[in-house]
Amino acid sequence: MAKNGRYFFTSESVTEGHPDKISDQISDAILDEVMREDPMGRVACETLVTTGLAFIAGEITTSTYVDFTRVVRETIKDIGYTRAKFGFDYETCAVINAVQEQSPDIAQGVDIGGAGDQGLMFGYACRETPELMPLPIMLAHKLCMRLAQVRKERLLEYIRPDGKSQVTIEYHNGEPVRVDTVVIAIQHSSTVETAELREDVTDMVINYVIPPELRDERTRYYINQTGRFVVGGPHGDTGVTGRKIIVDTYGGVGSHGGGAFSGKDPTKVDRSASYMARYVAKNLVAAGVADKLELQLAYAIGHPDPVSIMVDTLGTGRVDEDKIKEIIRGNFPMTPKGIIDYLQLRRPIFRKTAAYGHFGRNEPEFTWERTDKADVIARDAGLPVPAAVGAGKE
């Protein structure tokens, strides 16, 4: 059922310089390097970063050559760790490679079109934002993206790559009404005073991102609450691929199957089926089937079709949920091969997904964010054909 009454919900995001996100981006950069020359390559790449070290491991089977060390260093450089004084930099960090080939026992089931593993995946969409995403996670992502922008454009020259955001939204009967709390933690140089940093971040980041109609005199702001954040990045905290799965998805709204995305080629349903579940949920909401909708898919290793499909409209549905499942099966491919082909996932598009969320972003490569099936779904459901809603309708 949809949650009623007055309540608060919080989501967080992290910048691309956060240690876990560095790891995600390295793993996906390696995946892209394989996909660029060998679209049928198999990749399951994990990364760990810590002081002075990037360690990559996993299983990769490909017909192309990948210079792992070069990819790792270029990714770290692009993120912004370019000086030893940051505690981690692309030129001096050690890179250790412990990659091996994929098990042939797994490959024999995947080669015939089956899922690369068992598992359950969720997709979600709602009408809280133009992106058909929950408002807390969208604002949290946009704050972190703005932090990166002011750093890269040197609008705030003392900002460093590591950082986090957190946004609490007040809801009345399921509808967002105001921002209650904003939390920012941003790495900085040792020369800036805390008062200056807080004033700058308020003016150039928070006020830039949070619409004024969502802020009021009761909105609280916590910026670098400890007063100092000089030691950051992998020097301050070890990072590992796949530790920000809630940041990657819906900010804690709805359910999560538990599988991470980054470093996995699209035969891994952890990634491809989660993308399809988002695509289906977004198109159903765009079609007016429901105002909020959660979809679960479940797979068995080596088996092509999902073993179950669950739909929950969270008390907002305008169509019977059994009918919705019929619409899903009639309009969307659900086998791993069908998903890969339909969403065009055998391309080097994944590094971009590894920071600021896999969903709710109107990027040309993000085929799962289109709402191009909304008209067909509305007709099948007996609903009026909707006006253009959400990113990527055409």
Side-chain angles (χ1 to χ4, degrees), residues 5-17:
R6 175 174 176 265
Y7 63 93
F8 299 82
F9 194 89
T10 302
S11 295
E12 72 161 349
S13 184
V14 297
T15 65
E16 63 207 69

Side-chain angles (χ1 to χ4, degrees), residues 7 37 150 178 244 264 273 319 323 381:
Y7 63 93
E37 300 294 334
V150 299
R178 59 180 290 272
K244 288 292 178 284
K264 296 177 181 177
V319 179
K323 175 65 174 177

Side-chain angles (χ1 to χ4, degrees), residues 245-263:
I245 59 176
I246 301 303
V247 171
D248 285 343
T249 52
Y250 307 103
V253 175
S255 307
H256 197 295
F261 302 156
S262 290

